């Protein structure tokens, strides 16, 4: 059974619209993350949360807003969508924050902005 | 800055052949880097393949090996004889032993193993 659930799996959106990417983890982890990967680019870190608090934000744009309604939820709201936002968005979690603990990933949401 | 560079794919190999995926890192703001290989099989999320936290040490898993070389800042992934089930995307990643920063990944290398 998948321990990190991302919804939807595929998403097509119109330029200028707003979408929410859903992520829930059932691993009992304290830290959650969002990563993004566009074609030919590294898997890019976006946000990290620990105990529902934002710890690090590496996105340049305020159009990307994480939302944590529960400890095991970290949704990603994207407003005013642009074609350049087209990418696969991966949610991840780890027991605690940091670069020493194993990180577990969801299967990703592939977003296409037309 | 801190970054990871790895072999550009796609890489195609035949079953039972050897495979090497190069990975070099830059850790200008990380005092004690930890190095990882993650793998993403078709239809799955990324999962940890192996991890090495001490320079000079080797990690191994599922027939894959990688040695943490601090002198050359490299962490190449190797397997002597691949199988079709090794077809996947492989990601090299860099983390820090202390502090709360998330992992830094490379672009990923797509490997296709033909029967």
């Amino acid at each position: 059974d998948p321990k990190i659930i991302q919804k939807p799996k595929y998403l097509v959106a119109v330029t200028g619209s707003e979408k929410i990417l859903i992520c829930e983890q059932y691993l009992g982890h304290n830290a959650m993350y969002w990563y993004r990967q566009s074609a030919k680019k590294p898997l890019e870190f976006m946000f990290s949360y620990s105990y529902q608090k934002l710890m690090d934000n590496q996105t340049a744009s305020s159009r990307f807003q994480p939302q944590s309604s529960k400890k095991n939820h970290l949704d990603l709201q994207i407003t005013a969508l642009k074609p350049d936002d087209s990418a696969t968005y991966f949610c991840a979690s780890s027991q605690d924050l940091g670069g020493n603990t194993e990180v577990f990933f969801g299967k990703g949401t592939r977003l296409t902005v037309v | 800055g801190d970054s990871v560079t790895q072999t550009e794919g796609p890489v195609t190999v035949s079953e039972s052949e050897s495979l090497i995926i190069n990975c070099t890192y830059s850790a200008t703001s990380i005092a004690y880097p930890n190095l990882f290989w993650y793998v993403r099989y078709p239809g799955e999320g990324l999962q940890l393949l192996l991890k090495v936290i001490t320079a000079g040490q080797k990690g191994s898993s599922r027939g894959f090996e990688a040695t943490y070389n601090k002198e050359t800042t490299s962490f190449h992934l190797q397997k002597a004889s691949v199988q079709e089930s090794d077809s996947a995307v492989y990601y090299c990643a860099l983390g820090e032993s202390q502090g709360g920063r998330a992992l830094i990944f490379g672009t990923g290398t797509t490997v296709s193993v033909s029967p």
Side-chain angles (χ1 to χ4, degrees):
Chain A
D1 291 335
K3 302 299 185 187
I4 300 181
I5 298 173
Q6 289 189 243
K7 298 176 185 175
K9 190 173 181 179
Y10 302 99
L11 185 57
V12 178
V14 175
T15 296
S17 66
E18 171 183 316
K19 292 294 180 186
I20 296 180
L21 280 54
I22 305 296
C23 177
E24 306 171 63
Q25 56 95 358
Y26 296 95
L27 294 163
H29 287 166
N30 301 315
M32 295 187 71
Y33 312 84
W34 277 102
Y35 282 83
R36 168 177 61 187
Q37 186 161 33
S38 306
K40 304 287 186 183
K41 291 188 178 178
L43 184 60
E44 174 192 8
F45 168 70
M46 301 178 73
F47 300 97
S48 63
Y49 267 64
S50 179
Y51 293 93
Q52 292 187 266
K53 291 185 180 177
L54 177 66
M55 302 304 291
D56 195 0
N57 176 358
Q58 293 294 321
T59 60
S61 172
S62 60
R63 296 186 299 107
F64 296 86
Q65 290 292 328
Q67 300 170 343
S68 181
S69 58
K70 300 179 188 177
K71 181 184 171 186
N72 69 326
H73 280 235
L74 186 65
D75 300 335
L76 181 63
Q77 179 186 41
I78 314 174
T79 58
L81 279 159
K82 302 177 180 181
D84 276 354
D85 297 331
S86 298
T88 300
Y89 291 79
F90 292 98
C91 176
S93 70
S94 60
Q95 186 59 52
D96 293 296
L97 197 62
N100 199 18
T101 56
E102 183 174 353
V103 180
F104 294 78
F105 285 79
K107 296 182 180 183
T109 293
R110 184 180 291 183
L111 171 66
T112 303
V113 183
V114 298
Chain B
D2 304 318
S3 64
V4 173
T5 303
Q6 60 181 104
T7 300
E8 265 196 50
V11 173
T12 302
V13 291
S14 298
E15 212 164 23
S16 77
E17 285 188 346
S18 63
L19 171 70
I20 180 164
I21 303 173
N22 291 330
C23 172
T24 57
Y25 66 90
S26 170
T28 55
S29 66
I30 300 175
Y32 302 99
N34 295 334
L35 297 172
F36 305 79
W37 278 100
Y38 277 76
V39 59
R40 179 158 63 101
Y41 297 106
E44 300 295 322
L46 281 82
Q47 56 186 273
L48 180 65
L49 179 61
L50 57 87
K51 162 186 169 181
V52 180
I53 64 172
T54 304
Q57 298 295 310
K58 179 168 69 177
S60 60
S61 174
R62 305 180 208 177
F64 288 90
E65 294 181 338
T67 299
Y68 182 163
N69 189 320
K70 189 175 179 181
E71 286 69 39
T72 59
T73 63
S74 65
F75 191 54
H76 306 319
L77 183 69
Q78 302 182 73
K79 187 170 186 180
S81 176
V82 296
Q83 302 171 339
E84 204 173 343
S85 57
D86 294 323
S87 296
V89 184
Y90 294 82
Y91 293 86
C92 186
L94 167 70
E96 56 182 348
S97 298
Q98 299 170 0
R101 283 200 295 168
L103 295 180
I104 298 165
F105 285 85
T107 55
T109 301
T110 300
V111 173
S112 296
V113 180
S114 55

